[in-house]
Amino acid sequence: MTLDVDLPRFRKLLERSCEQVLSLYETLGERRVTHASTPQRIADRFTGPLPVEGRTPEEVLASDIPFIFEHSTLNISPRFFAYVMSGGSQVGIIAELLCAALNVNSAKWHLASSAAEIERAVIRWLSAFIGYREDAGGALVSGGSEANLYCLRVARDVKAPGAREEGCRLERPLTLYASTETHSCVTKSVEMLGIGSRNLRRIPVDAHFRVDVAKLEERIRQDLDAGMQPFCIVGSAGTVNTGSVDDLDALADVAARQGLWFHVDGAYGAAAASVGLTRELFKGLERADSIALDPHKWLQVPFDAGCALVRDWASLRHAFSYAAPYLKAKSDSVERWDWMGHTFQLSRGFRALKVWMQFQVHGSRKLLAVIEDNVRLMRRLAAELDESPDFERMAPVPLSIVCFRYKPAARPALSDDALDLLNDRLLEECERRGVYFLTGTKLQGHTALRACLVNHRTREAETRGLLAHLRALGEELMRRPEGP
Ligand SMILES: Cc1ncc(COP(=O)(O)O)c(C=O)c1O
């Protein structure tokens, strides 16, 4: 019994799916970025029981896909400024289709030899793209969270060899260091590795949201005196809140002096390390022992595609290589690159194809130009905000995140608490209208509107439009009887 339909019908189904993709992109300019439905309406749509008989694929495509498209948040839209999410790419869409058609398991060389070698090439290219080592080891993973987990796993194994077998019940507890601005996935990773989040020391930041290096060194000294075992410093190359980049060179110096692993979370920012406008900020990145970066962010590769890079292939192999008899490679192998020996997964798709095709088709020059363009647009937006009497910028803009708040000039006496409330409502209202989408954060305890751009489709029309839209919404909120 086969699940396949005949090939002429399969061709029609593919054509129909392509039509749906095309119509999504044809109407992108007019579509809302967020949808207008209630959570209940969407939940209700999917409460049906397990289908026993199934329906025709034509019916599913016609009746369900439009609903799903309608009720998805469109980070592919040029008016999307929330979180750190790229617009994906046409090449990526094609690569995903081709991957599913081939359905190979890239865990073992003899199951997917092209996929295995393409992933090796992609690791080399990603490393070169950010100015890291040509011979760096690495693996493609689901995203920045998993990339950080992988890198910290390797760091733990190298710096505390007993931890792998004995767990973290070492005589001297392991400690590691990161700024208060570090992404929460580092905390999650530390918990998953059994190190314990209390042993992740959160070091304060300076006025530019960069880790305070003197305080970091002081904390390491205190821990050493208290009998702890410091093993790793985590630097941020583009924090999720403001895009700040730690002084990586200074962190590398501290790590070298203290004999610690130096890991950099560059999930968002590392892609900008070779961009002319921002290169200086990343001095010292090349000294990292490991780096997390995300092709599905600034490289515009569709979800999901993260990458863990390590200075030394052997350290990655040591962490993940287990020999089970039925998995043994053939003895005649010249060098068969088995990804299962470098990663956690034993069944893994061909994630590398979409990254490889992105580089093949666009080349590094164009991808760098997209990043540079995004930085330029957001710095221009920041300059406009600085000149606007109704807005206040709340953080520097080293990369492509602008944090600010609406602060109407006509109401100079509004307290910080009232401004928090006003800006919270502004964010809610903006999401409800769905024309633009941005998210908020807290900076020094206060609500900030946070616009982040990692999208090749966005132009100045959209950044200017965002500001005009927020101003109009703010004025409307101020006119409401309940006031700010
Ligand atoms: C700095 C930073 N690190 C890690 C992550 C987590 O990456 P992912 O969402 O791909 O797991 C993010 C996500 O925005 C990030 O900005």
Side-chain angles (χ1 to χ4, degrees):
M1 161 145 209
T2 178
L3 301 177
D4 289 344
V5 297
D6 60 45
L7 289 178
R9 188 169 162 204
F10 183 43
R11 175 189 293 273
K12 284 221 172 69
L13 285 168
L14 285 173
E15 284 167 1
R16 223 170 265 189
S17 317
C18 286
E19 285 305 324
Q20 288 181 310
V21 171
L22 287 170
S23 115
L24 174 67
Y25 279 84
E26 272 161 9
T27 53
L28 199 54
E30 303 96 63
R31 278 180 182 260
R32 293 176 57 105
V33 186
T34 56
H35 62 78
S37 272
T38 61
Q40 193 57 52
R41 179 155 178 256
I42 300 168
D44 288 348
R45 172 81 186 212
F46 298 110
T47 51
L50 169 71
V52 176
E53 296 304 333
R55 294 183 294 155
T56 64
E58 288 83 356
E59 203 184 322
V60 176
L61 280 180
S63 71
D64 294 323
I65 298 302
F67 183 91
I68 294 169
F69 278 11
E70 278 298 310
H71 296 86
S72 295
T73 301
L74 294 184
N75 45 282
I76 55 175
S77 165
R79 287 172 279 111
F80 182 95
F81 290 92
Y83 307 107
V84 189
M85 286 163 66
S86 87
S89 70
Q90 293 168 342
V91 165
I93 296 169
I94 294 165
E96 288 283 48
L97 177 69
L98 298 174
C99 258
L102 203 54
N103 190 33
V104 288
N105 179 355
S106 71
K108 272 189 80 61
W109 191 93
H110 78 269
L111 293 176
S113 20
S114 293
E117 296 303 338
I118 284 176
E119 184 161 345
R120 277 217 287 180
V122 161
I123 295 300
R124 246 188 311 113
W125 291 354
L126 286 170
S127 191
F129 188 81
I130 63 168
Y132 195 48
R133 307 162 60 90
E134 288 270 334
D135 61 345
L140 293 182
V141 293
S142 63
S145 302
E146 198 178 340
N148 278 292
L149 174 66
Y150 263 55
C151 292
L152 292 176
R153 161 77 203 271
V154 173
R156 190 201 70 176
D157 286 2
V158 170
K159 291 296 177 186
R164 182 173 168 174
E165 293 80 15
E166 306 297 331
C168 289
R169 292 170 161 276
L170 303 169
E171 242 169 66
R172 296 164 60 218
L174 295 172
T175 51
L176 70 166
Y177 304 81
S179 88
T180 49
E181 291 292 304
T182 304
H183 195 274
S184 57
C185 71
V186 171
T187 310
K188 276 193 200 172
S189 300
V190 164
E191 290 174 354
M192 286 174 80
L193 290 168
I195 293 163
S197 45
R198 211 174 296 145
N199 293 324
L200 171 61
R201 310 303 200 202
R202 307 302 295 254
I203 310 298
V205 291
D206 62 18
H208 286 74
F209 300 93
R210 291 151 56 112
V211 69
D212 184 324
V213 180
K215 291 205 169 99
L216 165 76
E217 281 211 89
E218 193 185 312
R219 188 64 217 248
I220 294 172
R221 264 195 307 274
Q222 282 171 5
D223 281 338
L224 284 169
D225 290 347
M228 311 300 246
Q229 187 183 340
F231 81 102
C232 176
I233 294 173
V234 178
S236 286
T239 59
V240 67
N241 258 346
T242 67
S244 67
V245 182
D246 286 335
D247 184 343
L248 303 176
D249 224 15
L251 293 184
D253 286 341
V254 178
R257 269 200 298 278
Q258 302 287 352
L260 310 185
W261 185 274
F262 178 37
H263 169 63
V264 175
D265 177 8
Y268 156 46
S274 302
V275 168
L277 265 182
T278 47
R279 188 180 292 133
E280 266 305 295
L281 293 170
F282 295 87
K283 194 164 172 288
L285 179 71
E286 70 289 351
R287 297 171 65 194
D289 292 302
S290 58
I291 302 171
L293 73 147
D294 258 351
H296 69 203
K297 291 192 166 70
W298 235 340
L299 286 170
Q300 315 295 323
V301 173
F303 293 120
D304 50 21
C307 178
L309 290 177
V310 292
R311 174 178 291 277
D312 178 13
W313 275 111
S315 61
L316 194 61
R317 205 163 17 240
H318 179 261
F320 291 109
S321 187
Y322 293 82
Y326 78 99
L327 296 171
K328 268 220 156 96
K330 281 197 180 140
S331 54
D332 68 344
S333 59
V334 183
E335 189 185 4
R336 295 182 168 201
W337 194 267
D338 285 337
W339 278 102
M340 57 172 245
H342 298 88
T343 64
F344 181 66
Q345 285 175 287
L346 196 48
S347 296
R348 61 199 300 269
F350 188 3
R351 202 176 255 139
L353 185 64
K354 56 190 173 185
V355 188
W356 187 79
M357 281 180 70
Q358 189 83 322
F359 278 121
Q360 284 287 356
V361 171
H362 299 302
S364 64
R365 198 196 306 271
K366 201 186 270 177
L367 294 171
L368 287 169
V370 165
I371 297 171
E372 184 143 11
D373 197 46
N374 282 183
V375 174
R376 207 168 265 132
L377 278 178
M378 293 312 264
R379 289 189 181 172
R380 215 173 290 155
L381 175 68
E384 271 181 55
L385 282 164
D386 291 345
E387 281 171 18
S388 166
D390 288 335
F391 290 96
E392 178 180 68
R393 190 147 62 83
M394 295 173 77
V397 184
L399 298 179
S400 64
I401 296 176
V402 184
C403 289
F404 57 107
R405 63 181 175 179
Y406 179 60
K407 192 177 179 191
R411 298 287 297 278
L414 282 183
S415 68
D416 274 336
D417 285 350
L419 286 173
D420 284 352
L421 206 63
L422 177 61
N423 282 277
D424 285 338
R425 282 174 49 208
L426 191 52
L427 283 168
E428 268 169 38
E429 195 55 33
C430 183
E431 183 171 347
R432 206 176 62 74
R433 306 274 173 115
V435 185
Y436 288 87
F437 185 33
L438 81 172
T439 38
T441 188
K442 289 277 178 197
L443 290 181
Q444 272 127 12
H446 293 295
T447 300
L449 310 176
R450 175 189 166 284
C452 173
L453 178 60
V454 286
N455 189 333
H456 60 104
R457 297 192 183 100
T458 303
R459 299 277 168 277
E460 193 157 10
E462 283 85 29
T463 50
R464 280 179 183 268
L466 171 70
L467 202 55
H469 184 67
L470 292 173
R471 181 177 287 119
L473 284 183
E475 285 167 2
E476 197 184 311
L477 288 177
M478 293 299 293
R479 283 195 300 272
R480 287 189 185 170
E482 67 268 26

